[in-house]
Amino acid sequence: MSTTVSSSRAAMQDNELFNDDHKAFRQTVRKFAESLAPHAEEWDEKGIFPREVFQEAGKLGLLGIRFDESIGGSGLDWWYTTAMIEEMVHSQSPGVNLALMVQSDMATPIINEIASDELKQEFLAPAIRGERIAALGVSEPGGGSDVASIRTTARRVGDEYVISGQKLWITNGTRADFITLAVRTGPADSGYQGISLMVFPTDVKGFAVGKSIKKIGNKASDTAELFFDECRIPARYLLGHENAGFFHIMTNFQGERLVGAISACAGMEYAVREAIRYGQERTAFGKPIIRNQVWKHKFAEHLTNIEAARRLTYYAVDTIAKKPFEATRAITMAKLFAGDLSQRVMYDCQQFYGGFGYTTEYSIGRWWTDTRLITIGGGTSEVMKEILTKLENM
């Protein structure tokens, strides 16, 4: 890692938002992330990374930062989550980071919020330790952001639910030990009022992984299509109340989108600082390429916009930490702004490397393709705009 990036982050951290405990935590995360970096290209080529990475993250307390201490969590706040995501950029593998964030911030927060103590001990506690891998099962072939259109059904039969249907784009799906699963328990025409959430263990008869989806980016994170054929699970695996899952899914989306904004800001600065370092070492026409005014001005503009995106994102973090049910507007704006900005920043960074940017020799190629997901996953930029129009009563 270049000293330029390190000094920049140190300056950013010396403010009222991060105290000495946060900084010590950052060092722990940084050391872990840097230990993964040498394997980034190898794991991308394999399309998966070892389960032991989850276990190591669990030992360091990275998979349950905001969860109850009674089940093995750390009982901390969103600022620690922010610090973790910002430091995980040093793994140089957004795919690994994505898989870990699905475990810590997408599949398990709902369990922490509304599950019974019994379910928390059975599923959440081992997930926090990294002993069981979790996935979030919401998206389907006919609907991603449109949660109200979910077709996978769960019907009550005695003390069991019988589940049938299909899920798509499921990160950690090829090897998940359990899935936080969105299903339709109401009539087919019940819309959002008929959605429920359940914990689904993947060792159930009738469950099958269709295939591992080949993606253009985030290749180290496995993504799968899943099939449920009359799968029976105990009725006690229901999360919360039947037909009341839509609200919890929407609330959970806020955390997922905020994580996306934080990671976008961290990734952008990492890429720009690395590009500047590269430009100081690479010469063309007798001088370092960073000395060309067009590039100096472009990177100056990008750093300004990245700082603006970060401050908007920090505002969203502060809002969700203090008033979680009032954070939708700030989070939506942060994901929209940081996500769209990341596409322009990564494009220019890759362009700056010339032919090397189009190879796997430098990590910028990975960052460019992996960042493309930011404006798609967790709700597209177009969905973010539509949400804002409703919040602003347009």
Side-chain angles (χ1 to χ4, degrees):
M1 191 59 212
S2 69
T3 56
T4 306
V5 180
S6 300
S7 62
S8 172
R9 288 214 173 275
M12 180 193 71
Q13 295 160 24
D14 287 335
N15 55 44
E16 71 280 4
L17 302 178
F18 299 102
N19 57 34
D20 290 341
D21 289 338
H22 290 115
K23 294 172 186 176
F25 177 68
R26 282 182 181 275
Q27 292 305 312
T28 298
V29 180
R30 171 81 68 94
K31 184 177 180 181
F32 170 63
E34 290 178 340
S35 73
L36 305 178
H39 308 285
E41 186 174 354
E42 171 195 351
W43 291 341
D44 253 24
E45 291 175 353
K46 290 182 177 180
I48 202 165
F49 61 92
R51 286 182 68 105
E52 287 75 20
V53 175
F54 285 95
Q55 296 168 6
E56 186 60 30
K59 291 177 183 177
L60 295 174
L62 306 186
L63 301 180
I65 290 175
R66 303 186 311 280
F67 298 160
D68 299 336
E69 294 179 78
S70 62
I71 51 163
S74 301
L76 300 173
D77 60 20
W78 265 99
W79 292 109
Y80 280 90
T81 297
T82 302
M84 180 194 74
I85 295 170
E86 289 182 341
E87 295 304 326
M88 280 303 298
V89 72
H90 298 285
S91 73
Q92 297 186 29
S93 178
V96 171
N97 298 350
L98 173 62
L100 294 178
M101 286 188 289
V102 166
Q103 178 94 350
S104 63
D105 291 280
M106 300 177 198
T108 53
I110 295 175
I111 301 175
N112 183 64
E113 289 294 326
I114 64 175
S116 65
D117 291 340
E118 183 182 11
L119 288 185
K120 288 181 182 180
Q121 291 298 333
E122 185 174 352
F123 293 100
L124 185 56
I128 291 172
R129 295 192 297 267
E131 296 170 0
R132 300 185 77 176
I133 296 177
L136 178 64
V138 177
S139 296
E140 298 183 353
S145 299
D146 184 10
V147 177
S149 68
I150 282 175
R151 296 181 179 179
T152 297
T153 61
R155 68 180 190 276
R156 182 74 179 259
V157 179
D159 292 331
E160 295 180 317
Y161 279 103
V162 182
I163 300 172
S164 293
Q166 182 181 357
K167 295 294 179 179
L168 189 63
W169 315 121
I170 308 304
T171 302
N172 295 343
T174 68
R175 56 179 174 174
D177 297 299
F178 69 89
I179 304 165
T180 302
L181 189 67
V183 293
R184 179 165 299 283
T185 46
D189 60 353
S190 58
Y192 72 90
Q193 295 180 334
I195 304 298
S196 297
L197 283 165
M198 300 179 179
V199 181
F200 181 91
T202 57
D203 59 356
V204 172
K205 182 180 179 180
F207 171 77
V209 176
K211 64 178 180 180
S212 180
I213 298 170
K214 295 181 179 180
K215 312 183 299 293
I216 64 170
N218 292 282
K219 294 180 179 179
S221 65
D222 60 300
T223 305
E225 62 175 348
L226 309 177
F227 294 94
F228 305 82
D229 182 12
E230 295 290 284
C231 299
R232 291 178 174 266
I233 64 172
R236 66 183 180 86
Y237 284 177
L238 175 70
L239 292 171
H241 300 289
E242 190 173 281
N243 297 328
F246 184 82
F247 169 79
H248 298 295
I249 295 172
M250 292 298 101
T251 301
N252 194 67
F253 267 150
Q254 300 312 310
E256 180 177 346
R257 290 163 182 169
L258 182 53
V259 164
I262 297 168
S263 62
C265 292
M268 284 188 286
E269 179 163 353
Y270 183 97
V272 169
R273 298 292 180 182
E274 282 294 288
I276 292 172
R277 180 192 59 77
Y278 171 81
Q280 292 167 339
E281 299 174 353
R282 178 81 172 176
T283 60
F285 304 104
K287 64 180 180 181
I289 57 176
I290 192 61
R291 288 179 60 185
N292 288 286
Q293 187 182 69
V294 64
W295 283 111
K296 289 194 293 184
H297 286 189
K298 192 178 292 289
F299 286 136
E301 181 180 2
H302 282 330
L303 288 172
T304 300
N305 286 326
I306 292 169
E307 188 64 24
R310 181 182 294 115
R311 294 302 153 183
L312 177 58
T313 300
Y314 280 1
Y315 171 67
V317 172
D318 188 56
T319 305
I320 199 173
K322 294 177 179 177
K323 302 177 181 179
F325 296 111
E326 299 178 19
T328 300
R329 182 176 181 271
I331 291 172
T332 305
M333 286 183 170
K335 184 181 185 298
L336 174 63
F337 185 72
D340 285 355
L341 176 64
S342 69
Q343 309 307 303
R344 302 193 299 272
V345 169
M346 292 303 179
Y347 176 92
D348 283 342
C349 286
Q350 188 197 34
Q351 183 74 12
F352 187 62
Y353 280 73
F356 288 111
Y358 202 62
T359 70
T360 58
E361 183 174 344
Y362 288 85
S363 60
I364 185 59
R366 243 187 347 265
W367 284 105
W368 175 61
T369 53
D370 294 356
T371 299
R372 190 65 191 87
L373 181 64
I374 295 292
T375 60
I376 299 173
T380 65
S381 291
E382 291 72 25
V383 169
M384 297 302 100
K385 293 173 185 177
E386 186 63 21
I387 291 172
L388 289 171
T389 64
K390 293 177 180 178
L391 292 173
E392 298 294 339
N393 296 316
M394 293 184 191

